[in-house]
Amino acid sequence: MRVRLRRSSRQLFPEEDFALRVMRIRSHSPASLHEHDFHELVVVLGGAARHVTSEGHYPISAGDVFLIRGDMAHGYEETNRLMIVNILFDPAGLGLPTDDLRRLPGYHVLFRLEPLLRRQHGFRSRLRLATDQLAEAAGLITRLENELVGRPPGYRFMARAHLMHLIGFLSRSYADAPAEAAERRSLLALAGVLSFIERHYAEEITVDRLAGMAAMSESSLMRSFRKVTGRSPIDYVIALRVAKAAELLRRTDLAVTEIAFRCGFNDSNYFSRQFRKTMGRSPREYRKQQAAGGPA
DNA sequence: AGGCGTTTCCGCCAAC
DNA sequence: CAGTTGGCGGAAACGC
């Protein structure tokens, strides 16, 4: 897995320590299936085509925006004046600060929920930009592209910033669009839950409240939550709390008890036990090893 | 969507 | 003294 990623990195990205690239495709002829290991953000600037993936094929046209998850093969058929731009990037490799982003519902839809449920939703839940939104996105992409092509001093900094701007803009656009279709509403409901957790992890969170804000029964919320996150709601919250606590242990010298309270644990004893369960060692031990440059 | 038996959570005290 | 671990019981979360 790791080896595949590195080899692919060299093939896809000109600079192996900077995993960001923009590719424009102006194709009148069908492209063959290709695959890779990175996130590919696709923006359809003009024209139309049929998007073919291993999970099915969907008609696409100007204004469509969607994410191809790294290892998925895909291509385009029956292209008609198709103009698309692919933004390939490795989110982890670029070190983007996603904490704030994850507070946006639209981010969860665009990067997690819609790609995951695309098959069931028949691509009807994708982001569709209005004309003026598409123009703004195109402008951001052009600026990003100019930095990557010209490589003026500071271009990495600027390219990262433009990419962040684009991702933030697209995330907001999804949440702003009217959601008349049932599929979109259910995605936004789940995204609302995920973003709520990101914003309120330090407070008391109950499944009852989450279900209420999603307008779902507790059982159906738990079922769809597990489907998209792989874990139960409370498991997810605890994992987030522990992750936030681990960060505070690394980056500050706050007392363990204080960190427990700041991360939503009202009992430092209970925090200690939960921390060990997921991190394999006690909070204090973890901090000590981190300070010594030990294992992550 | 709701019911029900089982598991887990969570806040408390106590002991290192 | 701060932190960790164990035990307990009511509440909730969970999975069928």
Side-chain angles (χ1 to χ4, degrees):
Chain A
M1 186 69 180
R2 208 71 201 140
V3 175
R4 267 182 73 208
L5 285 176
R6 267 196 222 106
R7 185 196 301 143
S8 189
S9 174
R10 267 198 294 278
Q11 292 170 346
L12 280 172
F13 301 108
E15 307 161 80
E16 60 183 63
D17 60 337
F18 190 63
L20 173 59
R21 178 179 178 186
V22 175
M23 295 170 60
R24 286 186 188 260
I25 300 180
R26 291 184 180 81
S27 173
H28 295 270
S29 59
S32 59
L33 287 175
H34 62 284
E35 61 183 299
H36 50 75
D37 292 325
F38 288 82
H39 282 185
E40 176 176 346
L41 186 61
V42 181
V43 180
V44 184
L45 299 173
R50 186 164 66 190
H51 185 214
V52 183
T53 77
S54 52
E55 295 185 344
H57 48 83
Y58 318 99
I60 57 172
S61 59
D64 282 340
V65 178
F66 53 94
L67 185 87
I68 304 297
R69 296 169 77 82
D71 51 358
M72 185 196 239
H74 67 114
Y76 305 95
E77 292 180 357
E78 296 180 9
T79 60
N80 176 22
R81 294 196 299 272
L82 182 67
M83 282 178 51
I84 68 178
V85 57
N86 291 349
I87 299 156
L88 291 82
F89 64 101
D90 173 7
L94 285 175
L96 301 182
T98 56
D99 279 21
D100 192 41
L101 195 58
R102 299 168 83 84
R103 301 157 73 91
L104 275 171
Y107 169 78
H108 294 283
V109 177
L110 200 54
F111 284 83
R112 303 175 68 181
L113 307 184
E114 194 278 330
L116 201 60
L117 300 174
R118 187 170 292 156
R119 190 191 187 106
Q120 291 93 316
H121 287 195
F123 205 51
R124 289 182 297 277
S125 301
R126 70 189 180 281
L127 172 62
R128 281 197 60 80
L129 295 178
T131 308
D132 56 333
Q133 291 175 319
L134 180 58
E136 170 142 12
L140 290 170
I141 293 168
T142 299
R143 276 189 270 174
L144 167 60
E145 202 173 22
N146 288 342
E147 294 290 337
L148 292 176
V149 170
R151 296 190 189 181
Y155 76 94
R156 290 189 178 195
F157 183 88
M158 294 297 286
R160 232 186 295 252
H162 289 319
L163 177 64
M164 288 168 60
H165 193 160
L166 178 67
I167 290 174
F169 174 75
L170 294 175
S171 297
R172 284 181 174 170
S173 297
Y174 196 101
D176 290 345
E180 60 286 342
E183 288 104 344
R184 286 178 78 98
R185 277 207 307 275
S186 69
L187 281 197
L188 278 172
L190 267 181
V193 169
L194 289 173
S195 64
F196 177 86
I197 291 173
E198 296 288 337
R199 284 176 283 122
H200 299 284
Y201 65 88
E203 303 156 30
E204 181 184 350
I205 291 179
T206 63
V207 173
D208 181 62
R209 276 189 73 194
L210 297 180
M213 84 176 56
M216 301 167 89
S217 70
E218 289 192 22
S219 42
S220 36
L221 172 68
M222 286 199 282
R223 185 157 15 88
S224 33
F225 193 97
R226 184 178 287 279
K227 190 177 191 176
V228 298
T229 67
R231 53 209 328 173
S232 72
I234 296 303
D235 258 15
Y236 185 92
V237 170
I238 292 174
L240 180 62
R241 286 172 174 165
V242 167
K244 296 285 186 183
E247 189 184 343
L248 286 181
L249 285 167
R250 291 193 305 268
R251 296 176 127 75
T252 74
D253 54 2
L254 292 169
V256 171
T257 301
E258 173 65 19
I259 290 176
F261 279 81
R262 287 196 189 195
C263 294
F265 295 94
N266 295 317
D267 175 7
S268 65
N269 308 317
Y270 177 61
F271 163 64
S272 220
R273 240 174 282 133
Q274 287 298 334
F275 193 92
R276 170 177 284 284
K277 198 195 280 184
T278 58
M279 304 295 288
R281 58 211 114 142
S282 71
R284 186 201 265 161
E285 201 176 347
Y286 175 82
R287 169 178 271 164
K288 202 170 128 191
Q289 291 179 356
Q290 288 298 315

